[in-house]
Every structure is written in structure tokens, then in C-alpha cells.
Amino acid sequence: MAYSLPQLLNRLSFRQLQVFSAVYRLKGYSRAAAELGLTQPAISAQIRQLEQALGQPLFDYVGKKLYATAAGDQLANSVRQIFGELEQLQMQLSELEGTVSGTLSLAAVSTTQYVVPHLLSGFLKKYPKVEVKMKVVNRAQAIERLAENHDDLVIMGMVPEDRSLTFMPFLDNELIAIVPAGHALGKKRSVTLANFLAQPLLLREQGSGTRRALETFCSEHRLPLNGYMELGSNAAIKHGVLAGLGVAVMPRLSVQLELDNGLLQQAQVTGFPLRRSWCTVYPRNKHLTPVAEAFLAYVRDNLAQIKTQFENLYGPR
């Protein structure tokens, strides 16, 4: 039975939509109940009432797995828009009061985890009512999230050459060649790229920005890039070098403490360091929330201070 809009609005509640959203996202009644602090029978009752109001089943069980129906997928899209509009309204009302509050949703590539906390520290001191949600991803995942408009902003290096994106560089990302302490290459004043690449080379996974930068550099010099071992995080690469498994190219910030303590050495490879920039990125036609705009303005207005802060922490770039 199809209802008119006034009838439908009278039969729906925001609580039902909130419960539906949790079940849809978590793909389970018990997980939704745990997240919302409700019992599983209460979750079931809310979904049943919602299905009765809409006149359509929203979920099906196939075996022991819960799947959304076509009507469930349609409702999920609508609920996303409704809640997004309400969050936007909340932020706009906060602006009218002269405050900035709401949620800032960030996706940050793994190398920026050394940078973003310092940005957020100053930003949250200025806007204490903002809640930050940050997901750490690799470059391929960041590009996917940009395409699907998952986040308010993405923070990454090596921004795709795509005119549909708006980006703002805010800090250099220096990629350096590192070797274990006492390694022969660490004692030389100059090391050729070919000599460095001949060592057992530890690489990040396909899709990593650091790996892509090295691939581009090797391609420019017409040298093959043959990794000895592929590891899925900067921490794994660093500990691999510390353990003597091989050499690597890594962001300076991720290994500065080990360099300072003499646990790792920087090899003076010709053409290094590779210099890239960390950037804030978002789709060009995206309507930014007031919180996202406030964060961009904070970064833009404090570029000199941010650079000085990192030079004090890690030395001049």
C-alpha cells in the first residue's frame, strides 16, 4: 500500500531511521543493538514497524547472512541524505550563534598520521565543539573514497591528475633512502640509484603513495624497480630495515627518531630526497560543511606556523 507524503511522515520516526541505518551499515541486528545500546528485540520491533510503514521488506536473511532488499538500498540512500541535511542544518545554526560545531570526517593516507594530529591539536583548541572522525587508508583507498564522496576532506600526497579535484598543499613530505645502522651504503658520501636498488629493497604495497613516488622516479631514470619484500605499512617497513632485512625509501617523519638515535642511517642516494607535498583534497563540486571550511581556513591561515612547528620537531625540510 502506497501512502501519501503526509501519511508516510506520520508513520515514520527518526529513531526508526537511525535503527535502520545502523542495521544496514553493520549488516546485523545484534551489532546494531550493541552500538545503539538497545536489545535485539527492540531493534527487530523498530525495523518491523518501519517495514509496515513503508509497505516493503527492507532486509532478507539468506542462510545466516542479512542482506538489504532493493527497497532497503533505496531507503539507505534517502536516510544518508536526510541525516546529512540535518547535520548541515546543525552546523549552520552553530554558525549563526557564532560558533563552529559538528563532525569533521577525514580520510588520511598512512604517512600523514605523523602530521594530522598536530594540525588537529591547534584546530580543536580553536573549535573545541568539533568532533573529528579520521580513517587511515592507503593511496588507492583514498582515491576510491574521493570518488565515492565518503569524507569531508581527504589528506594525501601525490594528488591524482584530475581536474574535478580541489587541493591545497600545506607541508612538504620528504622521502629518503634508509639503511640499517652500520650498512656499507650509510658510510658513503654518494650512492648511485642503481647501487641502492641493487640492495634487498623493502616496498610498500601497490597503491601506496610512497611506492608510486619511487616507481615514478625509477621510471624517469629508466631503472627497474624490483622489490625484495612487500610490506603493508610504514611501521612494518621500518622494523624490516631495523631487523636487517633490507633497505627502503620512507617518509623522513616516520623514521626521524630512529635516525636521531643512530638505529637507522640515511643513504646519500643521488637525486634524493624525493620531495612531495601533503595536501587537503576534495571533489571540486562538493558543498563543504562549515566545519570542513573552518578546518581548511585554519590550515591555510597557519601555513607558516605549521611549517615552523615541524622544522622545530624534525629539522628544516
Side-chain angles (χ1 to χ4, degrees), residues 164-238:
S164 66
L165 298 175
T166 296
F167 64 94
M168 177 179 68
F170 63 88
L171 191 68
D172 283 346
N173 176 23
E174 222 179 59
L175 303 178
I176 62 173
I178 61 166
V179 298
H183 193 282
L185 295 189
K187 301 174 184 177
K188 294 186 175 183
R189 292 185 177 181
S190 179
V191 178
T192 66
L193 179 59
N195 195 359
F196 179 76
L197 294 176
Q199 308 300 311
L201 184 64
L202 308 185
L203 292 173
R204 283 288 305 272
E205 76 285 359
Q206 290 285 351
S208 158
T210 301
R211 177 165 176 164
R212 186 175 177 84
L214 182 56
E215 287 172 341
T216 300
F217 186 69
C218 290
S219 176
E220 290 170 352
H221 288 77
R222 300 182 180 181
L223 288 172
L225 180 63
N226 299 313
Y228 168 68
M229 187 179 297
E230 186 176 293
L231 298 170
S233 70
N234 284 329
I237 295 280
K238 177 170 67 177

Side-chain angles (χ1 to χ4, degrees), residues 112-125 171 253 295 298 305-306 309-310 313-314:
T112 68
Q113 62 188 302
Y114 306 99
V115 175
V116 177
H118 296 285
L119 300 182
L120 292 176
S121 176
F123 175 71
L124 292 175
K125 285 178 183 176
L171 191 68
L253 294 186
F295 180 73
Y298 172 81
Q305 179 182 335
I306 290 168
Q309 179 184 8
F310 278 86
L313 285 171
Y314 302 109

